[in-house]
Amino acid sequence: MELYVDLLSQPCRSVYMFAKALKIPFELKLVDLSAGQQYSDDFGKLSVVKKVPVLKDGDFVLTESTAILMYLAKKHSVADHWYPADLQQRARVHEYLSWQHLNLRSHASKVFLLMVFYPVIVDGKAPKEKMDVALEDLKHSLDLLEQKFLQDKPFIIGNEVSIADLVALVEISQPTGAGVKVFEGRPKLEAWRDRVKKEVGEKLVDEANESLMKASSMPEKMKDNPNLDMLKARFRKMFQ
């Protein structure tokens, strides 16, 4: 089985950490998004959507990180709490995963992109009004994560960790790579993060986040990218 990832990408980190933590064998295939490798002809033959992560299991190719996580959980018969067989518990996992795409994922990603990639793509610092709105949207999503999904439980669906927690962890971590103190003033969320890291493996989480913690160097790295003009054209729409 092959996993195509760039560990700067939060969905890629969730798939990578899940497979590593559960000792699911795979061959790692790195795809450098900042170099535009996802737009290459070879990668396009593998995935027409030209995004990572991608799982290739024999002739079977699967995109979308949450679908990959569910596939791995079922195929490799991991501990039930990761993706519960109980209908209502599984529905809670699906509820969180359905919500997060246009909420926590969207808002955390936007903060990261504005702070790290905007200066390269648009040749200037992100306007304060854009940054303020993005940070406020992120705050609102974090509030909802605490108040609706986590509440007073150790983990999102109850007393045990699930793929919902792993997905939430990687998304929340993304703005930290840009220097945002996401957990400041949120002791409950910070304690939840520490529990999830312990369940996944603290060394593994730190390893997976290594590229993210170096994100501040990305603008300088991208200036020498021969595909920069192509990447600018593709990314500019995100910042309008």
Side-chain angles (χ1 to χ4, degrees), residues 14 26 29 48 70-71 75 81 97 108 159 174 178 183-184 191 196 203 206 213 227 232:
S14 68
F26 67 93
K29 301 285 189 178
V48 69
M70 295 173 195
Y71 177 82
K75 177 171 181 177
H81 60 82
L97 296 179
N159 293 323
Q174 198 71 2
F183 298 97
E184 190 173 79
V196 178
K203 288 184 178 180
D206 291 342
M213 293 302 105
N227 295 317
K232 281 186 175 184

Side-chain angles (χ1 to χ4, degrees), residues 113-115 118-119 122 124-131 239:
L113 290 170
L114 283 172
M115 296 184 77
Y118 188 100
V122 185
K125 189 176 180 181
K128 183 177 183 301
E129 59 271 20
K130 281 183 179 285
M131 200 70 250
F239 303 124

Side-chain angles (χ1 to χ4, degrees), residues 10 26-27 33 35 67 104 121 132 154 168 190-191 209 232:
Q10 53 274 45
F26 67 93
E27 182 179 354
L33 299 180
L104 184 57
I121 302 302
D132 288 346
E190 188 173 24
N209 283 336
K232 281 186 175 184

Side-chain angles (χ1 to χ4, degrees), residues 151-167:
Q151 299 176 17
D152 294 319
K153 306 187 299 292
F155 300 101
I156 288 175
I157 66 167
N159 293 323
E160 294 185 285
V161 69
S162 72
I163 60 174
D165 297 285
L166 180 56
V167 170

Side-chain angles (χ1 to χ4, degrees), residues 101-169:
H101 280 291
L102 294 178
N103 291 277
L104 184 57
R105 168 161 173 67
S106 176
H107 299 146
S109 295
K110 189 170 186 179
V111 168
F112 178 81
L113 290 170
L114 283 172
M115 296 184 77
V116 175
F117 284 99
Y118 188 100
V120 180
I121 302 302
V122 185
D123 300 318
K125 189 176 180 181
K128 183 177 183 301
E129 59 271 20
K130 281 183 179 285
M131 200 70 250
D132 288 346
V133 170
L135 288 168
E136 183 59 32
D137 286 342
L138 175 60
K139 177 183 179 299
H140 180 63
S141 283
L142 292 171
D143 289 344
L144 284 174
L145 174 60
E146 288 189 288
Q147 295 164 15
K148 172 174 171 52
F149 294 100
L150 191 56
Q151 299 176 17
D152 294 319
K153 306 187 299 292
F155 300 101
I156 288 175
I157 66 167
N159 293 323
E160 294 185 285
V161 69
S162 72
I163 60 174
D165 297 285
L166 180 56
V167 170
L169 178 66

